[in-house]
């Protein structure tokens, strides 16, 4: 079971990482804060102070087509905002 799925790189997440030293990741929906902390420390070699998690609900959409009404939804995801210790950072752009 892979805990970390991918880092979240948006304008809000980038600003949060620059100002508050907090990095955002999309994580497995069954992972808890302790598992997320251990996974980030093992993957990036940093010490984590705090982990905050957010469960994002799926978006439901309805399309009206020739064949009738089509219902659909996106997948539910879990986000983790990880605050690192003072003076430590993660370079998310170096592994591309």
């Amino acid at each position: 079971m892979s805990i970390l799925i991918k880092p979240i790189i948006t304008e809000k997440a980038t600003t949060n990482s620059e100002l508050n030293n907090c990095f955002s990741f999309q994580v497995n929906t069954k992972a808890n804060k302790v598992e997320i902390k251990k996974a980030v420390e093992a993957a990036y070699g940093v010490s984590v102070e705090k982990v905050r998690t957010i469960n994002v609900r799926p978006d439901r959409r309805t399309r009206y087509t020739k064949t009738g009404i089509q219902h659909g939804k996106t997948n539910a995801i879990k986000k983790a905002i990880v605050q690192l210790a003072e003076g430590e950072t993660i370079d998310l752009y170096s592994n591309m």
Side-chain angles (χ1 to χ4, degrees):
M1 176 173 126
S2 177
I3 304 293
L4 298 176
I5 297 173
K6 64 181 180 180
I8 298 172
I9 302 173
T10 59
E11 187 175 352
K12 185 175 182 179
T14 305
T15 305
N16 202 12
S17 67
E18 291 171 355
L19 298 178
N20 302 327
N21 207 20
C22 295
F23 294 87
S24 301
F25 295 94
Q26 181 179 342
V27 296
N28 192 332
T29 55
K30 305 228 185 250
N32 60 29
K33 292 182 180 186
V34 176
E35 293 172 341
I36 294 167
K37 180 178 178 178
K38 288 180 183 176
V40 170
E41 287 176 346
Y44 295 103
V46 294
S47 60
V48 175
E49 283 187 356
K50 191 191 311 185
V51 177
R52 291 175 289 169
T53 58
I54 305 161
N55 285 312
V56 181
R57 64 176 168 75
D59 291 333
R60 299 189 184 278
R61 295 192 178 119
T62 304
R63 270 184 245 126
Y64 300 96
T65 62
K66 284 190 217 176
T67 59
I69 299 175
Q70 300 290 322
H71 297 287
K73 69 178 183 74
T74 60
N75 293 331
I77 62 168
K78 188 173 198 176
K79 293 181 187 179
I81 300 172
V82 177
Q83 184 170 3
L84 301 182
E86 193 68 33
E88 294 193 354
T89 186
I90 296 174
D91 188 13
L92 297 175
Y93 302 105
S94 67
N95 295 334
M96 291 185 175

